[in-house]
Amino acid sequence: NAVEEHKFRDLIYSAVDGMLSSLDPHSAFLTPEAFDALREETAGHFSGIGITVGVRNGMLVVIAPIEDSPAFKAGLHAGDRLVAIDGKPCRSISLNEAVNALRGPRGSTVTISVERDESDPFDVTITRDEIRISSVKGGTLLRDNVGYIRINQFSELTPGEFETAFRKILELKATALVLDLRNNPGGLLDA
């Protein structure tokens, strides 16, 4: 019993989220809405600013900006802490609410208060756009017949894109391969 009424579903979701958040920074509970948002992102396109966010030590954190996205062009970095979204403090919203606040129709804007390292928070206004995620970049030959492929994240499209890039490198007679996974936030396990 509590002083205020709470929906049973919200209590269960909060309990499961609390249990999983204590495991490690890579475990998280997804509500049906958050799962739908994740599926949309791993499908290869969505409308928003183009960042992957997560919660670390109770703070909303940029896991990685998506290359060539509005957030990437605005200068957001992995590790940036989001203090507020359109003036609403991030400590008082869930991860799902934050994702919904960052996404929106193409051409609309969102203002984010960002804290980086030990500096004072600063505001960044970003215009949302259609985010098309090409998860594999490269497929080029470096010196000494070393092939180079970069995987930005693991989405539904990654296996096919990787195969195309790998075949291109084989045609160029590569004898070694550099597989670049820097700033890759992860994604679909089977990809």
Side-chain angles (χ1 to χ4, degrees), residues 64 67 148 150-153 178-185:
E67 199 168 313
Y148 174 84
R150 179 172 179 204
I151 300 178
N152 296 324
Q153 80 170 43
V178 173
L179 186 57
D180 186 350
L181 299 175
R182 290 176 295 171
N183 293 321
N184 182 322

Side-chain angles (χ1 to χ4, degrees), residues 37-190:
L38 178 65
R39 287 190 55 129
E40 183 180 277
E41 186 173 325
T42 57
H45 61 87
F46 61 94
S47 181
I49 65 168
I51 58 173
T52 303
V53 294
V55 177
R56 290 190 185 149
N57 300 323
M59 293 285 296
L60 194 61
V61 176
V62 176
I63 304 299
I66 296 168
E67 199 168 313
D68 298 327
S69 70
F72 182 85
K73 292 173 185 171
L76 291 184
H77 300 159
D80 284 348
R81 294 175 301 281
L82 304 185
V83 178
I85 301 170
D86 282 333
K88 185 174 182 182
C90 289
R91 283 203 180 267
S92 63
I93 62 174
S94 69
L95 182 60
N96 185 46
E97 289 172 315
V99 169
N100 288 337
L102 294 170
R103 291 191 178 172
R106 182 180 187 191
S108 61
T109 61
V110 61
T111 301
I112 304 167
S113 295
V114 178
E115 198 174 65
R116 183 176 294 153
D117 300 323
E118 301 304 320
S119 66
D120 290 333
F122 57 93
D123 288 346
V124 179
T125 300
I126 302 172
T127 302
R128 296 177 180 101
D129 200 355
E130 183 73 18
I131 308 298
R132 294 223 169 258
I133 303 167
S134 174
S135 61
V136 177
K137 305 258 184 190
T140 59
L141 198 61
L142 306 174
R143 62 189 157 120
D144 299 327
N145 291 339
V146 175
Y148 174 84
I149 298 175
R150 179 172 179 204
I151 300 178
N152 296 324
Q153 80 170 43
F154 295 101
S155 73
E156 291 176 6
L157 306 176
T158 303
E161 290 177 357
F162 178 81
E163 185 175 345
T164 300
F166 188 66
R167 287 182 190 278
K168 181 179 172 186
I169 285 174
L170 290 177
E171 288 172 7
L172 295 172
K173 307 288 188 225
T175 57
L177 173 66
V178 173
L179 186 57
D180 186 350
L181 299 175
R182 290 176 295 171
N183 293 321
N184 182 322
L188 298 177
L189 183 60
D190 58 348

